[in-house]
Amino acid sequence: MGAKKKADNKSNDKDAGKGKDDKKGGKVKGAQGVVVRHILCEKHSKKEEALAKIKENPTLDNFIAVARNYSEDKAKQGGLLGLQRKGALAPEFEEVAFALPESKGSNLNIGEAKTSFGYHLIVVEERK
């Protein structure tokens, strides 16, 4: 929670700090929106199976391929939800999505969330 306080102090000036500042250190800076992909599974066991497939080849391309085979939502788009703003997602999903660093190529950062829709595997492609 300490990281959120630091991010909140800098997010008061909405135009300053966008983009390039998000890539410092290991802590994720505040963002107003994220380009997000997810894999939604109704059953925990199916989510775990999808996660195992992703871990075999932890790349964004593989995440997209696994999403096409396992996701029960947006499968044809490889799980792409597009640009999502704060307040537009289920709170449990949003908390994870806005805390994740960007995933690029073989640098895959996966978050997990449980919502009323089911179990989600989440990656953020871009923070805005």
Side-chain angles (χ1 to χ4, degrees), residues 1-9 11 28 30 94-95 98-99:
M1 293 207 173
K4 285 192 174 193
K5 286 183 180 177
K6 288 181 183 175
D8 288 343
N9 290 340
S11 65
V28 177
E94 184 173 291
E95 183 178 340
F98 279 86

Side-chain angles (χ1 to χ4, degrees), residues 32-91:
Q32 296 302 311
V34 290
V35 177
V36 65
R37 288 184 183 269
H38 78 139
I39 297 172
L40 171 64
C41 300
E42 188 176 324
K43 295 186 178 181
H44 184 267
S45 59
K46 186 173 179 183
K47 187 262 310 177
E48 288 296 315
E49 189 178 328
L51 185 58
K53 291 282 187 189
I54 293 166
K55 286 183 176 182
E56 290 173 9
N57 178 16
T59 64
L60 187 56
D61 287 341
N62 188 46
F63 184 94
I64 293 167
V66 172
R68 287 189 175 121
N69 291 320
Y70 284 86
S71 187
E72 296 166 16
D73 179 46
K74 303 288 185 184
K76 289 181 183 176
Q77 294 88 8
L80 182 63
L81 295 176
L83 178 62
Q84 298 295 316
R85 301 274 180 209
K86 285 189 176 182
L89 300 164

